[in-house]
Amino acid sequence: MTANLPPQYDPQATEAKWQKYWEDNQTFKADPEAGGEPYCVVIPPPNVTGSLHMGHAFEETLIDVLVRYHRMTGRNTLWLPGTDHASIAVQTILEKQLKAEGKTRHDLGREKFLERAWEWKAESGNTITNQLRSLGVSVDWSRERFTMDEGLSAAVLEAFVRLYDEGLIYRGNYLVNWCPASQSAVSDLEVDQQEVDGHLWHFRYPLTDGSGYLEVATTRPETMLGDTGVAVNPQDDRYKHLIGKTVTLPIVNRDIPIIADEFVDPTFGTGCVKVTPAHDPNDFEMGKRHNLPFINIMNKDGTLNENAGEFQGQDRFVARRNVVQRLENDGVLVKIEDYKHTVPYSERGKVPVEPLISTQWFVKIEPLSQRALEALDKSNSPVFVPDRWTKVYRDWLVKLKDWCISRQLWWGHQIPAWYAVSETQGEITDTTPFVVAKTEAEAREKATATFGNDVQLARDPDVLDTWFSSGLWPFSTLGWPDETKDLEFYYPTTTLVTGFDIIFFWVARMTMMAGHFTEKMPFDTVYIHGLVLDENGQKMSKSKNNGIDPLLLIGKYGTDALRYTLVKEVVGAGQNIRMEYDRKTDESKSVEASRNFTNKLWNAARFVMMNLEGQTPQQLGIPHRPQPALTEGGREEGLELCDRWILSRYNQVVQQSRNSLETYGLGEAAKGLYEFIWGDFCDWYIELVKSRLQQDAEPNSKKVAQQTFAFVLEGILKLLHPFMPHITEEIWHTVTQTGDDQCLALQAYPEADISLIDTDLEQQFELLFGTIRTIRNLRADSDIKPSVKVTAILQSESEKERQIISDGGVYIQDLAKVENLTVTASLDADLGQTIAGVVGTVQVLIPLAGVVDLVALRAKLEKKLSKVEAEIKHTAARLTNQKFVDKATPDVVQGARDALAEAEKQAEILRDRLKLF
């Protein structure tokens, strides 16, 4: 029985089938004991709270293309999946649930709250991993990790204790990003910089000696209550004489010094800036440089504290209005300007963050960053693709400050520090002594040795920044700190694929942690991809509500179509791509085009299989390679001209695909395959060999055509598999008639046979195809019916061109419906009525006598021209009518202009055609 595919391709059924097959059969399960050259990727762990967005789909598709390709080249491949516990996001979800129940986390207590968190994780925390499955990612699900699973939690404890024992973790006061809504410190990455329409308030600080005043400006007037200085640039001649004097702070009536600091930009505003060291990161550094007092005026809930005097207890924004009113009443408010500026918002709390001095845990960055810098400068490790990100990464390592790693949350890795609260009246204070240990038993042993048997211990309630655990991700997921087989074989990992926006926050932390704990960089290469922009070229974001749901597009067009679109759109590594999308219909022309490509491949494969007479590529064998010899009937015994051409093109695309994928040119590889499959194979080769597949075809020629057909089709499926894994797997199983014990995903990626690449032959076929296209166009222009065969005269002064055309004459005759073909160096004086075209330096002529009714054709063209000219006249009249132009919408007017231009173009074409008759 002849194997074949159903008439219609059903992406949903096919994709679900193979996703289940791969997972059920553990097709992608890695084995470190199998040896070979490792290729390892750890997934950038999505938040456990997340759902699949277009950025995920883009990133995971890029990774999957690389992983599937390297697996097929024979490398021992591991793609390790997992998720991040997302402290702030999960806690926010749970606290919203509790609020709806009229409760807070404190009503439950820590233990019950964490029980509820783990229940949520069990019920809802696997949403994104299940959605990742719909992308067909070739991960090893047996190795799936979670940043708070037992093994990774042990790695976090090991890292913290080791860093603390080495003096690289400390507890101290420092300025942090504080979210009043979640009442926690947040990292820079958890801050969303939003441009807002605000105000700039100007007010005067009187000189204490009564000789005048200084004018300052601020966007946060309430912070003036904590000012401890005014700064000017030391080179600013306007203020040099005032340096060292004091001003009296309005409202508070505190005398504060005028200091000189090069940080001050003398061209900004008045050249004077207020200094609030406890509430601004730049002022914090100035305060340290000049030994200014640090006065905190704010509570952790965003209200003002006792240092704010009469404004104590007021919310920061209420206090802002009241402070401004008081300054106006006191006569020191100069003016209020509208001012557009950037305000940092807490991503989860959705409120502006406050720079706040707080007692937190910190990692000393310099020793860690120096090791990472040394690896970069001495060994160019890791390698960044594109290379321009190397400097960005290096600059960031140089500028890094100590890292605040504590968060005032309950969900996460609790800091392994125990305080001897019996030394500070049962409370944890800034001065309470503590011990650091992996377990409470170990902590008690340490504390007892110092404070005696009666010591009372309380564990630090804070948890670690999630970036601490994800900084260990490349090696903790492989079993570190244990010496596992996975760690020994697959570490360092090979490639990290990630976005440019977390080079600083994640990539740098992984290289620093890995350099310190493993003395190796955690990956060889960092491939930085761009963003998926919306249909207007804008970055997708929740605030703009302009996201595009990949699951919706998968449901409409299929996973392979979406994957292929995302990769094919990439022009150069690291570039942004734009996703075409119609929000009214939820349709995408670009994804639809890729869906059409899957249909084209499906139909081509069906045609090939219908003409293989039930034989598989393996049964047919590889096409003969010897130079062809002519049989008595004039046919070639071995490879014919078009067979040699398609094999040359095929091996060219194999070579190009390998080169592109090895150098991260994923988009270039995808486009090259598209052009080869759709153009060379489907549009040309299939048409070229149809006559050789007929029942009465010459047997040797037919067999060679079948061999070539089957060989190239199977090669295409292998080449395309990393990009479109589902449809290629389905077709491959059908065409090879392979059972369930094998799959395409584990087959060898094609290698180019250089001996079969013939660039001269490819150029010859370009001329043949150009000639065929020209004859087809001339036929269409002359309304020659498809069933009518014509005479074609091809004239060229080039002997080489004439030889090429003669050699390929049978193809021209077959595909352009030419009965009589003449190839000549010169033309007869009188050829009668002809229609002519040019391809290269070849003139193409078709005599029309006896083929078309010239009188009827001319009448038909004149009628068309008359209709188009009437349309031009009508449209031009509308556009010269000022009432129409004034009253119609801009879209309608532009539409009329476009219609006029199109009609004028049609008229020009019709006039040119009429000249021929």
Side-chain angles (χ1 to χ4, degrees):
M1 181 178 176
T2 301
N4 210 344
L5 300 164
Q8 300 294 324
Y9 174 52
D10 182 349
Q12 278 69 36
T14 301
E15 289 165 0
K17 168 186 171 181
W18 290 110
Q19 287 161 15
K20 185 176 186 302
Y21 171 92
W22 292 323
E23 190 163 351
D24 288 350
N25 289 275
Q26 294 192 311
T27 301
F28 309 121
K29 185 175 175 63
D31 180 6
E33 295 186 333
E37 184 182 0
Y39 186 87
C40 180
V41 175
V42 290
I43 198 169
N47 283 352
V48 72
T49 56
S51 59
L52 192 71
H53 58 62
M54 198 59 76
H56 290 133
F58 183 43
E59 184 168 270
E60 311 318 337
T61 298
L62 293 174
I63 298 173
D64 199 48
V65 169
L66 290 171
V67 171
R68 285 181 181 271
Y69 165 73
H70 285 287
R71 184 183 291 114
M72 293 179 77
T73 63
R75 297 183 72 170
N76 186 330
T77 305
L78 167 62
W79 183 8
L80 190 147
T83 48
D84 187 274
H85 60 276
S87 288
I88 293 177
V90 171
Q91 184 134 343
T92 300
I93 289 171
L94 295 174
E95 290 190 334
K96 281 183 179 178
Q97 291 177 357
L98 290 170
K99 186 176 181 180
E101 299 169 15
K103 300 176 183 176
T104 70
R105 60 173 160 142
H106 299 286
D107 294 329
L108 266 68
R110 187 176 195 124
E111 186 176 343
K112 291 293 184 184
F113 179 83
L114 292 178
E115 283 179 11
R116 186 158 177 161
W118 281 107
E119 287 171 4
W120 178 89
K121 163 68 170 67
E123 293 171 8
S124 307
N126 297 321
T127 298
I128 192 159
T129 53
N130 289 330
Q131 291 172 338
L132 284 175
R133 284 173 163 86
S134 69
L135 283 175
V137 291
S138 60
V139 301
D140 181 351
W141 288 111
S142 72
R143 283 174 166 83
E144 183 179 357
R145 304 307 299 266
F146 175 54
T147 46
M148 281 181 62
D149 67 29
E150 186 177 345
L152 269 61
S153 295
V156 167
L157 285 174
E158 177 72 24
F160 186 98
V161 172
R162 207 185 282 188
L163 287 171
Y164 178 78
D165 290 344
E166 293 167 356
L168 295 177
I169 282 182
Y170 65 92
R171 184 172 182 255
N173 271 331
Y174 206 78
L175 198 71
V176 298
N177 294 318
W178 185 264
C179 171
S182 62
Q183 295 196 34
S184 174
V186 294
S187 73
D188 291 336
L189 190 61
E190 294 155 351
V191 169
D192 181 22
Q193 299 291 342
Q194 297 184 18
E195 190 173 63
V196 301
D197 292 319
H199 297 92
L200 193 63
W201 287 270
H202 294 251
F203 41 89
R204 296 169 178 165
Y205 286 2
L207 291 161
T208 306
D209 61 11
S211 60
Y213 58 83
L214 291 180
E215 183 179 320
V216 299
T218 181
T219 59
R220 297 159 66 216
E222 70 281 3
T223 63
M224 60 85 59
L225 301 169
D227 285 359
T228 58
V230 173
V232 297
N233 190 285
Q235 304 305 318
D236 193 333
D237 291 334
R238 294 172 296 174
Y239 305 115
K240 279 184 178 179
H241 65 290
L242 297 177
I243 297 170
K245 290 189 174 186
T246 62
V247 294
T248 301
L249 186 64
I251 303 177
V252 181
N253 293 320
R254 180 170 61 240
D255 290 345
I256 57 177
I258 301 170
I259 62 173
D261 196 289
E262 291 184 352
F263 171 79
V264 179
D265 179 0
T267 65
F268 179 76
T270 63
C272 301
V273 297
K274 57 190 286 299
V275 185
T276 321
H279 294 283
D280 182 274
N282 295 319
D283 293 3
F284 179 81
E285 296 300 328
M286 272 199 283
K288 288 198 297 183
R289 286 196 291 272
H290 297 276
N291 296 313
L292 297 178
F294 286 67
I295 301 175
N296 174 29
I297 62 162
M298 198 165 296
N299 296 313
K300 291 183 177 180
D301 63 356
T303 60
L304 272 57
N305 65 21
E306 66 278 5
N307 292 326
E310 66 189 78
F311 306 100
Q312 180 179 356
Q314 295 180 8
D315 176 80
R316 54 185 169 154
F317 299 115
V318 173
R320 176 174 297 177
R321 294 194 299 270
N322 292 337
V323 165
V324 170
Q325 186 62 54
R326 172 69 188 275
L327 291 170
E328 184 176 18
N329 293 342
D330 290 350
V332 294
L333 179 66
V334 178
K335 62 181 177 179
I336 303 173
E337 293 180 309
D338 291 336
Y339 188 65
K340 188 182 289 289
H341 63 123
T342 300
V343 174
Y345 273 72
S346 169
E347 218 172 49
R348 299 297 175 183
K350 308 300 182 189
V351 298
V353 299
E354 286 292 338
L356 194 69
I357 288 180
S358 176
T359 301
Q360 303 287 346
W361 290 89
F362 296 88
V363 173
K364 288 183 180 177
I365 284 297
E366 188 174 359
L368 306 181
S369 61
Q370 285 304 313
R371 189 185 289 270
L373 280 167
E374 185 178 334
L376 184 68
D377 293 341
K378 290 186 177 180
S379 308
N380 192 29
S381 179
V383 173
F384 278 82
V385 179
D387 180 64
R388 66 178 181 272
W389 292 108
T390 305
K391 184 178 185 304
V392 175
Y393 166 72
R394 190 185 192 287
D395 289 348
W396 187 259
L397 286 174
V398 170
K399 295 173 185 176
L400 277 174
K401 295 186 173 75
D402 286 0
W403 169 19
C404 173
I405 56 171
S406 46
R407 298 289 180 268
Q408 288 63 58
L409 304 167
W410 285 355
W411 172 247
H413 295 106
Q414 193 171 355
I415 290 174
W418 281 262
Y419 296 88
V421 292
S422 49
E423 302 297 306
T424 50
Q425 290 75 51
E427 298 290 330
I428 298 176
T429 70
D430 289 354
T431 59
T432 305
F434 59 86
V435 293
V436 168
K438 293 179 186 176
T439 65
E440 185 172 1
E442 185 183 330
R444 184 162 296 282
E445 185 179 339
K446 286 183 177 182
T448 300
T450 303
F451 304 106
N453 293 330
D454 295 333
V455 66
Q456 295 175 11
L457 295 180
R459 187 168 182 178
D460 195 308
D462 292 352
V463 299
L464 287 166
D465 176 15
T466 53
W467 294 104
F468 189 91
S469 53
S470 57
L472 309 173
W473 187 252
F475 48 98
S476 64
T477 52
L478 296 173
W480 184 91
D482 296 334
E483 291 294 331
T484 64
K485 290 178 180 178
D486 277 3
L487 188 67
E488 180 184 359
F489 185 77
Y490 292 113
Y491 185 81
T493 65
T494 314
T495 306
L496 174 72
V497 178
T498 191
F500 62 83
D501 50 341
I502 55 173
I503 290 177
F504 331 115
F505 307 108
W506 188 40
V507 178
R509 284 169 182 165
M510 286 189 287
T511 58
M512 290 188 295
M513 291 289 218
H516 184 76
F517 289 118
T518 73
E519 299 185 348
K520 299 174 184 176
M521 288 297 98
F523 19 73
D524 297 332
T525 304
V526 181
Y527 171 48
I528 300 294
H529 61 74
L531 301 173
V532 183
L533 306 177
D534 72 4
E535 66 278 16
N536 299 312
Q538 299 295 312
K539 180 180 177 180
M540 296 186 202
S541 69
K542 290 181 181 178
S543 60
K544 292 179 181 177
N545 194 30
N546 65 335
I548 301 172
D549 184 358
L551 296 171
L552 188 151
L553 294 177
I554 286 173
K556 189 179 289 284
Y557 302 109
T559 295
D560 283 346
L562 176 62
R563 285 173 57 119
Y564 201 69
T565 302
L566 291 170
V567 180
K568 193 163 77 74
E569 292 296 319
V570 179
V571 181
Q575 298 301 307
N576 294 339
I577 67 171
R578 188 175 71 86
M579 176 65 72
E580 289 186 81
Y581 191 62
D582 185 332
R583 293 185 184 275
K584 293 179 181 177
T585 61
D586 289 326
E587 294 175 339
S588 169
K589 288 185 178 179
S590 54
V591 185
E592 183 181 7
S594 295
R595 194 272 313 278
N596 294 342
F597 180 46
T598 65
N599 291 337
K600 184 85 169 180
L601 176 64
W602 185 266
N603 291 331
R606 288 190 77 244
F607 178 82
V608 172
M609 282 182 265
M610 284 190 291
N611 286 281
L612 295 185
E613 298 174 329
Q615 301 171 93
T616 67
Q618 289 69 31
Q619 291 168 337
L620 285 163
I622 297 174
H624 295 146
R625 300 189 183 191
Q627 286 297 317
L630 295 181
T631 64
E632 289 182 8
R635 283 284 188 180
E636 296 174 348
E637 190 175 57
L639 294 174
E640 299 190 16
L641 204 63
C642 67
D643 302 327
R644 289 165 47 209
W645 167 76
I646 195 64
L647 288 172
S648 179
R649 288 293 307 122
Y650 168 72
N651 282 284
Q652 283 272 26
V653 85
V654 169
Q655 191 174 49
Q656 291 162 4
S657 296
R658 277 183 167 267
N659 290 342
S660 294
L661 289 170
E662 291 289 346
T663 55
Y664 297 93
L666 279 65
E668 290 81 351
K671 282 187 281 289
L673 287 170
Y674 181 93
E675 291 163 4
F676 171 73
I677 295 166
W678 191 298
D680 296 336
F681 186 70
C682 295
D683 285 353
W684 286 116
Y685 186 69
I686 286 178
E687 296 301 317
L688 289 169
V689 298
K690 275 184 177 178
S691 62
R692 293 164 60 192
L693 298 169
Q694 303 301 318
Q695 285 293 105
D696 58 351
E698 198 280 320
N700 286 330
S701 177
K702 182 175 184 178
K703 181 180 179 183
V704 172
Q706 289 174 329
Q707 288 176 324
T708 308
F709 240 161
F711 175 78
V712 175
L713 175 61
E714 186 177 12
I716 282 171
L717 298 174
K718 292 175 180 178
L719 291 171
L720 192 59
H721 179 74
F723 304 91
M724 289 184 160
H726 306 90
I727 188 173
T728 52
E729 189 79 74
E730 179 73 14
I731 296 174
W732 183 83
H733 270 263
T734 307
V735 74
T736 61
Q737 300 176 39
T738 302
D740 286 347
D741 58 327
Q742 294 185 55
C743 66
L744 176 58
L746 300 181
Q747 300 305 303
Y749 201 78
E751 294 190 41
D753 184 341
I754 306 300
S755 69
L756 292 178
I757 295 177
D758 187 338
T759 53
D760 286 342
L761 182 64
E762 292 181 31
Q763 290 176 2
Q764 292 171 27
F765 266 80
E766 285 302 309
L767 178 59
L768 292 176
F769 295 151
T771 303
I772 292 167
R773 277 191 292 263
T774 301
I775 295 174
R776 286 173 170 175
N777 290 339
L778 292 174
R779 290 176 62 107
D781 289 345
S782 305
D783 284 353
I784 299 173
K785 295 178 180 178
S787 59
V788 174
K789 289 195 172 185
V790 299
T791 294
I793 301 165
L794 307 177
Q795 181 269 326
S796 173
E797 295 179 0
S798 165
E799 183 179 347
K800 182 178 180 181
E801 285 185 338
R802 294 197 302 276
Q803 186 62 51
I804 292 169
I805 294 167
S806 297
D807 289 345
V810 64
Y811 304 132
I812 296 172
Q813 289 182 279
D814 280 354
L815 272 61
K817 299 289 181 66
V818 174
E819 185 171 24
N820 299 307
L821 180 66
T822 301
V823 181
T824 180
S826 59
L827 297 172
D828 293 336
D830 184 15
L831 294 173
Q833 188 72 49
T834 63
I835 187 167
V838 175
V839 53
T841 59
V842 177
Q843 189 171 184
V844 181
L845 300 99
I846 299 177
L848 297 177
V851 177
V852 294
D853 183 336
L854 297 177
V855 175
L857 178 58
R858 181 173 184 85
K860 183 178 179 181
L861 293 174
E862 287 174 341
K863 184 177 180 181
K864 281 186 180 179
L865 179 59
S866 177
K867 183 178 179 182
V868 171
E869 286 176 336
E871 183 183 339
I872 291 171
K873 184 177 180 180
H874 172 71
T875 308
R878 290 180 76 200
L879 288 169
T880 55
N881 183 338
Q882 197 59 41
K883 289 183 178 179
F884 166 74
V885 174
D886 292 341
K887 291 184 178 180
T889 64
D891 287 347
V892 171
V893 174
Q894 186 59 48
R897 288 177 179 145
D898 293 343
L900 178 62
E902 180 62 27
E904 288 173 339
K905 184 178 179 181
Q906 288 180 18
E908 184 180 352
I909 292 170
L910 289 167
R911 292 187 191 105
D912 288 341
R913 290 179 66 185
L914 278 166
K915 290 176 185 177
L916 300 171
F917 306 112

